[in-house]
Amino acid sequence: MNFFKTKIPAQLLCLLVLMTSASLSLQAQTFRYAFVTDTHVGSPTGEEDLRRTVADINKEKGIDFIVLTGDVTEMGTAQEIKLAKEILSSLTKPLYIIPGNHDTGWSESGGVDFIREFGNDKFTFDHYGYRFIACASGPYVRMSDGHIPRDATVWLDKVLKNTPKNMPVIFINHYPVDNSLDNWYEATDRIKKYNIQYAICGHGHANKALNFEGVQATMGRSNLRAKDSIGGYNIVTMTKDSVFFATKKPGIEIEKAWRKFALQKFTPPASDAFERPSYAVNKTYPQVKQAWTYHSAANVVSTPATDGKIVVAGNAIGEIEALSLKDGKKKWTFKTNGAIYSSPVIHSGLAILGSGDGHIYALALGTGKLAWKYACKAAVLGSPVVENGHVFIGASDHSFRALEVKTGKLLWSFDEVEGSIVDLPLIYKDKIIFGSWGRHLYALNKNDGTLLWKWDNGNANRMFSPAMCTPVAVNDVVYIAAPDRVLTAIDVNNGATLWRNKEATVRESIGISEDQSLIFGKTMNDEVVAYKAQATDGGILWRLNLHFGYEHVPSMLIAKDGAVFFGTKNGTVYSFDPVKQTENWSHKIDNSMVNTVNVINKDTILAATMDGIITLIKR
């Protein structure tokens, strides 16, 4: 075929030349923008430091826009986010903003408040021929590694698909785009196919030159003053062939550029020997297979429920999805208006769970049709439990409620909870026991909601609250492990501390043996430990090294059919024999956090990962 036979009309050719020239001319323009990060409004000096920076940027001439790369607040509360929005609203130039782990990891709304106030948790825009692209990053509502959300990578694919290959791109994330994000490669593999110029990030609170698999990158200093008398930010200057980063402290002349490098067409590195997750463990246990795998369109940060036929789970864009347990095929979807971090419970033909939109939903299991919903005054991130026709669930409006399963009618409400509730409560005899991000563990009378006692570990820092550990109890002793890395035994009758053991650095992840004689704990390095379930501290009974590495995610240990099961931050599910104290098997699903697994039987495990994978594991 002779392609030269097709002539381009003279007018169109002229237009293409003009467009190309205009694009080159735009890219030749010099411009500046403010690069602000880690403002931590809610910390001791966060508000004052940010107010000074906003005032300083408004006085600075030649700033085209501002980019704020996350950790806008200290704890992600509605109050902190509103205060940050009020301060940032004073900016006289366009602001582009994304959340960081402090805005999402302890968020009382599951990120809903951030999106409500700032419009989105990701952005893209063009400026003088450059395309700026920013993705959100977690973890969300609990401790885990940094993670670019599944919905953000889906969005990124759409943005890049509509980006010309030669168009210069700047990529923005809160975390460095390296293994501090569990799915860093999902970003680098994508952006390296385009004309990526550089990346910017925060998180590390320091000006630092970085390189992400051949992509030039820059970490910016925190806006906090830290040990200085004043905070600061960076001013980025883009010329036709170079970029310059310079520190600017409010009220002081801009400093000399501390970093500069050339802007040029990106050439991917010749080497492809970059770190990637290993799935070698799956060859060690080839008898363990994923019978089916479903990839949701957004993060799944909860435990899927099943009645033996249908699987129900929620995701971070507010979808409740039902799948066939047999083959993983979708049966129905119900859309809520907020992210879902509540693990559903199935009872009386209903799937019941909470949503970040502030409602508790009950859906017909067979059809997904709404049976009833109950409106709370804030997001509902806590998970429900059911007993005797009553559903118990906590919300972020400082209330814990009991509702009638069939109708959603309110039976009672305890309205004195400090902080948000995100865990799965424990029903033990006449009590309902739960924790919150307000430092306390609560015990209520399950019949009328009256407070029986509340407990705290003596730490005033909310980040050490007993919020994500599902309590277990036996013989009138309840056991928990908060982020303070201490296993604690508490008298169920009065809330008195019986003992606290910190030998093994158990963080949030515990479980109880089938015969209720042992308490299991997952340590922060390699080991599972066991303690005798008793009212006095007998120390560690035994240790089992499973070689899972550094570990910090709150995935509980579930005992069933003579085995114990749990997941880790690197996407691996483990099974061990608590009597023989040996590993049964392990299987890697992906490279993100595995939520607490749903053990159907010793050979069938229903698991979900933060990256939105729901899978049925069979041995």
Side-chain angles (χ1 to χ4, degrees):
M1 182 181 292
N2 187 348
F3 289 97
F4 293 99
K5 286 185 178 180
T6 302
K7 293 185 178 181
I8 300 175
Q11 288 181 326
L12 179 57
L13 182 61
C14 181
L15 179 61
L16 289 171
V17 170
L18 286 172
M19 289 174 65
T20 303
S21 300
S23 176
L24 291 172
S25 176
L26 282 173
Q27 287 172 222
Q29 294 282 340
T30 294
F31 66 91
R32 300 197 306 162
Y33 67 91
F35 167 25
V36 185
T37 191
D38 295 272
T39 55
H40 290 275
V41 171
S43 66
T45 68
E47 178 183 351
E48 183 180 0
D49 291 339
L50 183 55
R51 288 190 186 278
R52 287 179 176 180
T53 287
V54 167
D56 192 70
I57 291 172
N58 287 341
K59 292 177 182 177
E60 187 72 20
K61 294 181 179 179
I63 298 292
D64 286 12
F65 57 87
I66 302 93
V67 170
L68 206 169
T69 64
D71 278 4
V72 182
T73 65
E74 182 69 1
M75 290 287 289
T77 66
Q79 183 179 6
E80 289 175 350
I81 290 170
K82 285 182 179 180
L83 177 57
K85 175 67 178 299
E86 178 261 308
I87 298 168
L88 293 166
S89 294
S90 300
L91 286 166
T92 57
K93 297 293 172 63
L95 168 69
Y96 301 95
I97 186 170
I98 53 174
N101 58 297
H102 275 256
D103 307 305
T104 60
W106 298 276
S107 172
E108 62 189 9
S109 68
V112 172
D113 287 336
F114 188 95
I115 293 172
R116 182 182 294 122
E117 291 292 339
F118 293 109
N120 212 326
D121 60 359
K122 45 194 172 285
F123 64 76
T124 184
F125 67 95
D126 296 345
H127 192 74
Y128 284 135
Y130 290 87
R131 178 154 294 175
F132 290 75
I133 305 172
C135 284
S137 56
Y140 284 73
V141 186
R142 64 207 66 199
M143 176 59 68
S144 183
D145 284 349
H147 181 84
I148 298 176
R150 164 73 173 158
D151 67 287
T153 59
V154 172
W155 169 85
L156 180 60
D157 281 337
K158 293 177 181 178
V159 172
L160 290 175
K161 185 178 180 181
N162 293 312
T163 299
K165 288 287 186 177
N166 64 341
M167 187 175 195
V169 172
I170 288 90
F171 186 72
I172 303 163
N173 196 63
H174 174 66
Y175 280 83
V177 189
D178 56 22
N179 62 11
S180 55
L181 286 165
D182 59 29
N183 61 340
W184 78 95
Y185 50 89
E186 293 197 73
T188 55
D189 285 352
R190 285 165 166 82
I191 63 177
K192 287 191 297 183
K193 295 177 182 178
Y194 290 80
N195 189 20
I196 180 72
Q197 297 297 291
Y198 62 86
I200 59 173
C201 68
H203 191 63
H205 288 220
N207 286 334
K208 192 173 182 180
L210 300 169
N211 188 288
F212 305 144
E213 299 182 5
V215 178
Q216 291 276 20
T218 303
M219 176 186 288
R221 60 154 294 163
S222 167
N223 190 66
L224 295 175
R225 69 188 69 176
K227 296 179 180 179
D228 202 347
S229 60
I230 196 169
Y233 59 102
N234 275 280
I235 290 180
V236 184
T237 301
M238 305 265 293
T239 68
K240 65 179 181 179
D241 56 12
S242 300
V243 59
F244 301 80
F245 294 83
T247 299
K248 179 70 171 72
K249 295 180 179 179
I252 300 174
E253 288 294 318
I254 188 171
E255 296 178 10
K256 183 179 178 181
W258 62 271
R259 186 169 196 222
K260 63 179 179 180
F261 54 85
L263 297 172
Q264 55 195 356
K265 182 174 176 57
F266 178 71
T267 302
S271 171
D272 60 357
F274 295 109
E275 178 189 1
R276 290 295 181 267
S278 170
Y279 289 77
V281 65
N282 294 349
K283 294 180 180 179
T284 304
Y285 300 98
Q287 73 276 23
V288 182
K289 304 286 187 182
Q290 290 172 228
W292 55 260
T293 297
Y294 173 81
H295 207 170
S296 185
N299 286 9
V300 174
V301 191
S302 59
T303 300
T306 184
D307 68 339
K309 293 182 179 180
I310 294 177
V311 175
V312 179
N315 68 24
I317 56 174
E319 294 173 339
I320 303 169
E321 299 177 297
L323 313 173
S324 165
L325 180 63
K326 181 180 179 180
D327 56 20
K329 292 183 179 179
K330 188 183 288 189
K331 307 291 273 185
W332 52 259
T333 301
F334 182 92
K335 187 72 168 69
T336 74
N337 294 314
I340 295 173
Y341 298 96
S342 176
S343 298
V345 64
I346 294 174
H347 194 275
S348 301
L350 299 174
I352 304 169
L353 73 168
S355 169
D357 67 9
H359 290 87
I360 301 163
Y361 289 87
L363 307 177
L365 187 60
T367 63
K369 291 184 178 179
L370 182 67
W372 56 259
K373 69 177 180 178
Y374 181 91
C376 301
K377 297 176 182 178
V380 185
L381 309 181
S383 299
V385 292
V386 172
E387 184 183 78
N388 297 329
H390 299 170
V391 57
F392 303 89
I393 188 169
S396 294
D397 57 1
H398 310 292
S399 296
F400 189 93
R401 296 174 173 85
L403 308 175
E404 191 175 80
V405 167
K406 291 184 178 180
T407 65
K409 177 184 176 182
L410 180 66
L411 299 171
W412 56 255
S413 178
F414 174 74
D415 305 320
E416 300 173 16
V417 179
E418 181 185 347
S420 57
I421 302 168
V422 294
D423 71 350
L424 177 69
L426 168 70
I427 298 174
Y428 183 76
K429 296 184 178 179
D430 64 340
K431 299 175 178 65
I432 183 89
I433 301 170
F434 62 93
S436 78
W437 281 119
R439 302 179 297 118
H440 292 95
L441 185 77
Y442 296 84
L444 309 181
N445 183 310
K446 70 180 182 183
N447 297 310
D448 59 17
T450 55
L451 177 66
L452 300 175
W453 52 260
K454 64 180 181 178
W455 175 94
D456 69 76
N457 57 18
N459 198 312
N461 190 333
R462 289 176 294 172
M463 295 180 187
F464 292 102
S465 300
M468 272 312 306
C469 175
T470 300
V472 296
V474 62
N475 297 330
D476 288 345
V477 179
V478 60
Y479 301 87
I480 63 162
D484 61 0
R485 308 178 189 185
V486 180
L487 182 70
T488 303
I490 301 165
D491 189 322
V492 163
N493 297 304
N494 55 28
T497 301
L498 296 174
W499 54 266
R500 282 165 61 77
N501 186 297
K502 59 181 180 180
E503 291 178 72
T505 64
V506 173
R507 179 186 177 127
E508 298 180 301
S509 300
I510 67 170
I512 190 167
S513 62
E514 287 181 279
D515 65 4
Q516 300 193 315
S517 66
L518 298 177
I519 304 299
F520 303 118
K522 182 178 61 172
T523 73
M524 294 184 69
N525 273 291
D526 288 322
E527 291 183 327
V528 169
V529 293
Y531 306 79
K532 283 187 177 180
Q534 58 188 31
T536 57
D537 184 3
I540 297 171
L541 181 64
W542 52 256
R543 296 173 180 262
L544 174 60
N545 192 335
L546 292 170
H547 306 285
F548 48 70
Y550 175 68
E551 175 61 24
H552 56 217
V553 302
S555 297
M556 302 306 123
L557 289 85
I558 308 299
K560 193 164 186 175
D561 294 345
V564 181
F565 307 84
F566 66 91
T568 66
K569 74 180 185 68
N570 65 358
T572 305
V573 176
Y574 287 81
S575 169
F576 69 88
D577 186 320
V579 176
K580 296 178 181 178
Q581 295 165 38
T582 55
E583 180 176 346
N584 293 325
W585 54 262
S586 52
H587 182 83
K588 187 172 176 67
I589 302 169
D590 67 9
N591 204 52
S592 67
M593 178 190 81
V594 179
N595 306 305
T596 299
V597 295
N598 186 337
V599 183
I600 297 171
N601 57 58
K602 67 177 181 179
D603 297 320
T604 310
I605 314 299
L606 187 59
T609 74
M610 180 183 285
D611 201 53
I613 287 181
I614 304 170
T615 187
L616 188 70
I617 299 173
K618 280 186 169 289
R619 186 183 69 161

